[in-house]
Each structure stands twice: as C-alpha cells, then as structure tokens.
Amino acid sequence: MSGNVQLLSDTLAGAKEEGRSALIAYLPAGFPTVDGGIAAIKAVFDGGADVVEVGLPHSDPVLDGPVIQTADDIALRGGVKIADVMRTVREAHEATGKPVLVMTYWNPIDRYGVERFTAELAEAGGAGCILPDLPVQESGLWREHAEKHGLGTVFVVAPSSKDARLAEITAAGSGFVYAASLMGVTGTRASVGAQAQELVRRTKATTDLPVCVGLGVSNAVQAREVAGFADGVIVGSAFVKLMLDAPDEAAGLEGVRALAADLAEGVRGAV
C-alpha cells in the first residue's frame, strides 16, 4: 500500500518550495447531486486548487455555518450515502491526480465501521480524513487503521486550545494541522484577523507539520492575507454559496472555477 497521505504532504511541500501557500477547497459530496458535486470538485481543481476536502454530509453539523448546512441538507434529501462520498473521492482524484481528503464528523465513521471506512477510502485514492469532533485521546482506533492504509489524520486546533493541548493534538496528526481561525461555525467573514496569525504561530511552535487556516476566507484579498502566515488557505463556504446562488449548474461550475482561480492568484500574491 503506497501511503496516500504522501501525495498530500508532497503537494503542500511543493507549494512551499514555490514560496506560496497551498489553496485547499471544501465542497460537500452529493451537492447539488453526486455527479454535480464531482463536476464541482474538478472545476475547483481546474481553477487552481491544490487540495480538495470532500464533506460527508451530516444532519447535525455542529461546526458548519448555514451555507454548508443548506448544501448538506440538499445532499441528504438527495439520498447521498457513504458509497457516494467514496465515489466522489475516487473520480475527483483519478481525474486530476491531486490529493482529496474527506471531512467528516465521527459518528458516521463509527456507525459504518472504522476498518471498512479506512480501507474503502484508501482504495478510492483518498489522502486521509479531517475529523473536527474526534478528541485526540479517543482517536487511537482510527489512527491505527488510518496508518495501516496510508491515510492522513488531520485534527482541528482552535484559538481556545492551550499550548500543551496543541502539542498533544499536533503530535497525533499527519498531513497537516487545520487551524480554525475563529471560534464558532464556518462561514465567510469580513476579516480573519490577528487571532488566526497567533494561532498559527503557537501551533507551529509544536510541530513541523504544515498549518492550514480555515473558517472565514472568501476572496483573494483575504487569501493573500492568510497566505502571509499560513502554509495553506482553506475555503469552503464561499464555494458552496456560489453554487447555491447560481441560476443553474453550469453557472455554478463556472463560478467555482473562477473563484478558485482568483483565490489561487491570492495565495501566490503573498510572496
């Protein structure tokens, strides 16, 4: 088994060698349909994203703001299943050769079976998982199976995390560390501010892993700001909102491709 997480690590390292941050996009599987979601991911990659996180839609998403909740609801009403998430990962990765992660709450994996989920994700070419609500101290079983299948485990750190806790979290993770720049739910913000920069500084003091910032970036100006201090800039709600607001699927795809291109210029403008 070749370590799928290696592609993720190499991609982030490659961006660093170019003197820039990586652009990481988030889109939920099954939105607006399974095929439409796959097309959207391909469009975002085509626009310039380095990595994509595929959201596993959840009926009670504690971290996600109203935009992503709306998209999740559409996907769930459409009957999206874990098999569709795996298909989304496979088709997006095979079409682009780029790293694709799954972002999911713990409960669906627990119900599906950790061994089954990790084996299927690795077989689909997935690079790993972002697990926002899995406490590090309860992650042993997941990490054992993830490592066996060459998958990365990305944990989320927040401004409220104490230094000792940051060290514990970063020691257990792989791929990169997801720094949530603001407390509370995801969504676009007017400014991501100094809080994110301080969190990145504190996190980097504990690890050599890349530190990528999410929650709040929606345009090239903000992407450039965050790229000035983070290894990766994570954008989700802005892509989803474009698709929700688009008059039709073709317009949505063109919109997310254009936004990805704009953001890609932003992360390159930080050098």
Side-chain angles (χ1 to χ4, degrees):
M1 165 67 62
S2 63
N4 298 10
V5 69
Q6 191 63 49
L7 176 62
L8 175 63
S9 298
D10 291 348
T11 299
L12 293 169
K16 188 173 186 177
E17 282 169 15
E18 290 176 22
R20 66 174 180 89
S21 285
L23 175 60
I24 303 175
Y26 167 93
L27 286 163
F31 166 74
T33 60
V34 177
D35 287 344
I38 292 167
I41 293 168
K42 290 176 182 175
V44 165
F45 272 135
D46 189 43
D50 298 290
V51 180
V52 167
E53 305 171 4
V54 175
L56 194 159
H58 196 268
S59 54
D60 184 28
V62 288
L63 186 77
D64 297 309
V67 170
I68 290 172
Q69 284 185 18
T70 301
D72 278 6
D73 192 46
I74 290 167
L76 290 166
R77 284 207 309 269
V80 71
K81 300 281 191 292
I82 286 180
D84 299 312
V85 178
M86 297 298 179
R87 184 187 143 213
T88 299
V89 171
R90 174 182 285 104
E91 294 195 14
H93 172 65
E94 285 180 353
T96 63
K98 293 185 178 176
V100 182
L101 296 138
V102 168
M103 187 167 190
T104 178
Y105 296 99
W106 179 245
N107 195 31
I109 295 178
D110 198 32
R111 284 203 310 265
Y112 196 72
V114 178
E115 168 57 25
R116 181 183 176 198
F117 189 94
T118 51
E120 289 183 7
L121 181 57
E123 195 272 327
C129 253
I130 302 164
L131 301 160
D133 67 337
L134 178 64
V136 169
Q137 60 272 23
E138 295 171 25
S139 67
L141 178 68
W142 163 265
R143 285 189 287 137
E144 176 192 332
H145 287 289
E147 284 164 21
K148 183 168 85 175
H149 292 293
L151 298 171
T153 300
V154 177
F155 289 110
V156 178
V157 297
S160 59
S161 306
K162 302 283 186 283
D163 288 352
R165 178 90 178 121
L166 286 177
E168 184 187 2
I169 293 169
T170 59
S174 53
F176 65 91
V177 182
Y178 188 127
S181 68
L182 296 123
M183 300 302 290
V185 300
T186 59
T188 58
R189 301 292 200 290
S191 171
V192 288
Q195 196 178 36
Q197 191 164 359
E198 176 62 10
L199 177 57
V200 170
R201 185 194 67 75
R202 290 173 54 225
T203 305
K204 280 183 166 293
T206 72
T207 184
D208 291 330
L209 287 173
V211 180
C212 304
V213 170
L215 311 193
V217 174
S218 59
N219 59 47
V221 173
Q222 292 170 340
R224 186 176 297 114
E225 180 191 344
V226 175
F229 58 83
D231 299 303
V233 180
I234 302 168
V235 181
S237 296
F239 285 115
V240 177
K241 188 173 190 309
L242 266 177
M243 291 179 66
L244 283 169
D245 294 347
D248 55 52
E249 196 172 307
L253 293 177
E254 195 42 57
V256 296
R257 183 183 289 106
L259 177 59
D262 190 40
L263 293 164
E265 280 188 19
V267 299
R268 282 164 174 82
V271 293

